[in-house]
């Protein structure tokens, strides 16, 4: 008689990730259950106690074993995985290790204990009559809340006027995520350097430049493993992602250094039984590496890229760790030599028209092997009304491509953009797709 399937509860399980989860090795041994919706988890101002109560109600009423609780989204999912893990005895990293990654200021304090590869940074007093940059942090710089969704409320500023304007915008919107994050901080015994800092704090960091890369890995039984390095390529003259491409084209000595820095910071924050994704900049001119941010979860955005190139999506690591099983991925056993996830964007607000139906999207995918498309634009809806956009652009669609070369990836992407045929009525000047600028 076959053993019963193990019940895996996925916080924010969305339709796009169901087939990906069902394609991991041993998926037939698991039953994946949704636990709260993405809208419940990230829509409006989140209440962590209410989310905990809702999740606990679902779990307590479940007629079966609760074998694992996992998630692949940012706050509050990453923190809820740890908190629910404590309540139900499922395997996860500690809440403190998660917050040491997600609280951007605390994360910088931890990083500087073990590495030098980070920009100068400091706190900004948003309540000051005339907010000023922290001592020693020079323009150009980035201003960002201690915690935010995607790049929401993150601003690049080059002078005091732009600094002042960005501070006003951040102060106005920081409570949406900052207030619920305060609840999380209250669950921890904070170190002296975090006394009085709180969650509604603004961070200033000197701008760093170069090639942006992402390092993905996991910690299993205290051993840190890096399983992939990806290039993150922006639109021309923009801080917005055009695509993530795997594997990275950086020289092997640089990749080894990225592995080393990543292992040191992950050990420092104390993660275990968890996946992670760390973003960096590498400057080929100076050979300098700078750590941008640590995410205490793997990137679901990269799942198909690992499947295309290595043969298995990175969700495998997350699920395996939840059961203390070997999370290792195969190496270069996928059907393609390289892969990319493209972010088709529009750089001004507008109303979407001619949005393809799911059937039309499936046809485009059939006609272009090695392609998967998620359309985000909605017929007749303003782009600015779609949630969780960054401060500078609007995402229209995510297009994943696998191919034999970078040129092959670009050809497939261009064909998909043309086939989608999205159109817009601009509500402000300057709307355009910068892909081929």
């Amino acid at each position: 008689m076959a053993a019963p399937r193990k019940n895996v509860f996925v916080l924010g399980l969305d339709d796009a990730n169901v087939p990906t989860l069902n394609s991991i090795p041993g998926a037939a041994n698991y039953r994946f259950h949704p636990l709260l919706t993405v809208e419940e988890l990230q829509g409006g101002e989140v209440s962590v106690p209410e989310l905990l109560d809702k999740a606990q109600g679902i779990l307590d009423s479940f007629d079966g074993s609760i074998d694992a609780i996992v998630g692949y989204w940012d706050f509050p999912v990453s923190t809820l995985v740890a908190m629910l893990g404590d309540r139900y005895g499922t395997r996860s990293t500690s809440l403190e290790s998660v917050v040491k990654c997600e609280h951007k200021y605390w994360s910088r304090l931890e990083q500087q204990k073990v590495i030098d590869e980070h920009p100068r940074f400091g706190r900004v007093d948003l309540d000051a009559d005339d907010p000023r940059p922290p001592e020693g942090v020079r323009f150009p710089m980035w201003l960002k809340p201690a915690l935010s969704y995607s790049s929401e409320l993150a601003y690049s500023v080059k002078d005091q006027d732009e600094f002042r304007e960005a501070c006003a915008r951040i102060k106005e919107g920081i409570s949406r995520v900052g207030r619920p994050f305060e609840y999380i901080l209250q669950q921890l015994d904070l170190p002296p350097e975090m006394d009085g800092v709180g969650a509604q704090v603004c961070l200033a960091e000197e701008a760093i430049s170069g090639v942006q890369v992402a390092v993905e890995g996991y910690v299993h039984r205290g051993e840190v493993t890096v399983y992939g390095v990806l290039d993150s390529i922006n639109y021309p003259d923009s801080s917005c992602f055009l695509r993530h491409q795997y594997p990275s084209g950086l020289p092997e000595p640089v990749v080894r250094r990225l592995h080393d820095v990543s292992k040191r910071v992950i050990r420092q924050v104390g993660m275990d039984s968890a996946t992670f994704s760390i973003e960096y900049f590498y400057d080929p001119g100076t050979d300098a590496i700078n750590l941008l941010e640590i995410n205490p979860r793997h990137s679901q955005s990269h799942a198909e890229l690992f499947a295309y190139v290595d043969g298995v999506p990175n969700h495998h690591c997350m699920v395996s760790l939840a059961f203390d099983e070997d999370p290792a991925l195969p190496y270069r056993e996928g059907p393609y030599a390289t892969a990319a996830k493209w972010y088709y964007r529009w750089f001004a607000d507008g109303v979407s028209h001619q949005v393809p139906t799911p059937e039309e999207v499936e046809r485009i995918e059939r006609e272009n092997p090695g392609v998967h498309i998620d359309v985000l634009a909605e017929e007749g809806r303003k782009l600015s009304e779609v949630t969780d956009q960054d401060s500078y652009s609007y995402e229209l669609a995510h297009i994943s491509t696998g191919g034999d070369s970078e040129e092959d990836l670009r050809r497939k992407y261009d064909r998909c953009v043309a086939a989608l045929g999205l159109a817009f009525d601009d509500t402000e000047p300057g709307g355009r797709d910068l892909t081929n600028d």
Side-chain angles (χ1 to χ4, degrees):
M1 181 177 177
R5 289 195 289 173
K6 297 174 181 177
N7 296 302
V8 181
F9 287 84
V10 185
L11 281 155
L13 179 62
D14 56 327
D15 292 342
N17 279 284
V18 169
T20 308
L21 283 166
N22 285 326
S23 71
I24 66 173
N29 299 322
Y30 307 122
R31 180 178 285 111
F32 296 106
H33 304 273
L35 182 58
L36 306 182
T37 66
V38 175
E39 179 59 30
E40 286 176 309
L41 289 160
Q42 296 187 342
E45 186 167 321
V46 168
S47 168
V48 175
E50 288 182 9
L51 290 174
L52 280 170
D53 286 345
K54 282 185 182 180
Q56 189 167 336
I58 295 168
L59 294 169
D60 288 347
S61 64
F62 180 70
D63 185 18
S65 60
I66 300 168
D67 300 306
I69 301 172
V70 299
Y72 40 74
W73 300 105
D74 286 327
F75 179 83
V77 169
S78 49
T79 51
L80 288 172
V81 168
M83 298 172 81
L84 291 169
D86 285 342
R87 294 192 182 194
Y88 291 91
T90 55
R91 187 177 298 275
S92 68
T93 192
S94 69
L95 179 63
E96 180 175 302
S97 68
V98 170
V99 178
K100 282 182 177 179
C101 297
E102 291 209 319
H103 192 293
K104 290 183 173 62
Y105 181 68
W106 195 0
S107 184
R108 289 299 191 203
L109 296 180
E110 290 296 306
Q111 293 164 35
Q112 69 180 5
K113 295 175 182 177
V114 291
I115 65 169
D116 298 319
E117 292 87 351
H118 59 79
R120 282 187 284 266
F121 68 94
R123 291 162 55 193
V124 176
D125 183 2
L126 294 177
D127 293 324
D129 292 335
D130 185 20
R132 293 284 172 173
E135 185 176 352
V137 181
R138 301 169 300 188
F139 292 111
M141 66 181 69
W142 278 88
L143 293 187
K144 58 188 74 172
L147 183 71
S148 63
Y149 296 136
S150 300
S151 297
E152 184 179 299
L153 295 180
Y155 296 99
S156 174
V157 299
K158 65 179 183 296
D159 56 37
Q160 182 59 33
D161 288 341
E162 291 185 355
F163 180 92
R164 191 179 297 111
E165 182 179 349
C167 283
R169 291 181 180 178
I170 292 172
K171 183 176 181 179
E172 182 181 1
I174 197 170
S175 65
R176 182 170 94 86
V177 180
R179 189 173 292 128
F181 199 30
E182 291 281 8
Y183 174 84
I184 300 297
L185 292 183
Q186 291 167 9
Q187 313 307 307
L188 302 173
D189 293 324
L190 299 175
E193 61 263 35
M194 286 295 291
D195 283 349
V197 174
Q200 298 188 59
V201 61
C202 179
L203 183 68
E205 299 179 342
E206 282 192 11
I208 49 181
S209 61
V211 178
Q212 193 166 349
V213 294
V215 174
E216 290 228 358
Y218 57 79
V219 193
H220 183 223
R221 300 182 183 178
E223 183 70 25
V224 184
T225 298
V226 171
Y227 59 75
V229 179
L230 308 90
D231 294 330
S232 300
I233 299 160
N234 289 345
Y235 279 80
D237 301 318
S238 169
S239 61
C240 302
F241 287 137
L242 168 59
R243 70 182 184 273
H244 300 298
Q245 188 166 317
Y246 178 65
S248 171
L250 290 176
E252 186 57 34
V254 178
V255 171
R256 287 198 298 268
R257 287 165 58 200
L258 290 166
H259 281 227
D260 175 63
V261 173
S262 299
K263 290 177 180 180
R264 279 188 275 154
V265 296
I266 291 300
R267 292 191 192 104
Q268 176 62 29
V269 299
M271 291 188 74
D272 200 4
S273 300
T275 57
F276 63 84
S277 178
I278 309 179
E279 297 178 35
Y280 292 90
F281 277 95
Y282 170 68
D283 188 334
T286 63
D287 199 37
I289 289 172
N290 273 292
L291 192 154
L292 180 60
E293 65 181 24
I294 309 171
N295 299 301
R297 45 127 187 109
H298 71 289
S299 174
Q300 55 91 17
S301 296
H302 300 157
E304 287 178 311
L305 308 191
F306 286 101
Y308 280 147
V309 175
D310 291 328
V312 171
N314 56 1
H315 287 350
H316 163 69
C317 304
M318 173 187 70
V319 175
S320 297
L321 288 165
F323 292 101
D324 197 28
E325 297 171 350
D326 183 5
L329 290 172
Y331 183 77
R332 307 299 188 258
E333 295 183 14
Y336 299 102
T338 186
K341 178 173 182 178
W342 302 78
Y343 295 81
Y344 179 25
R345 301 178 186 268
W346 198 251
F347 284 77
D349 202 2
V351 177
S352 304
H353 295 296
Q354 300 178 28
V355 176
T357 64
E359 292 75 20
E360 289 170 329
V361 171
E362 289 177 7
R363 175 184 56 77
I364 296 170
E365 292 174 339
R366 286 195 306 271
E367 294 173 353
N368 295 275
V371 162
H372 180 75
I373 303 169
D374 288 316
V375 177
L376 307 181
E378 299 177 24
E379 183 69 34
R381 188 178 183 186
K382 287 181 65 175
L383 299 175
S384 58
E385 294 175 352
V386 179
T387 59
D388 299 334
Q389 302 282 11
D390 66 32
S391 302
Y392 295 101
S393 69
Y394 304 100
E395 295 181 8
L396 311 178
H398 297 160
I399 303 173
S400 297
T401 58
D404 298 327
S405 64
E406 184 175 316
E407 292 74 21
D408 193 18
L409 299 178
R410 181 173 287 278
R411 281 194 296 271
K412 289 183 177 182
Y413 171 73
D414 288 343
R415 284 200 297 268
C416 290
V417 168
L420 287 172
L422 289 165
F424 310 93
D425 292 336
D426 282 356
T427 59
E428 57 184 78
R432 57 188 181 129
D433 167 21
L434 300 180
T435 307
N436 295 307
D437 279 20

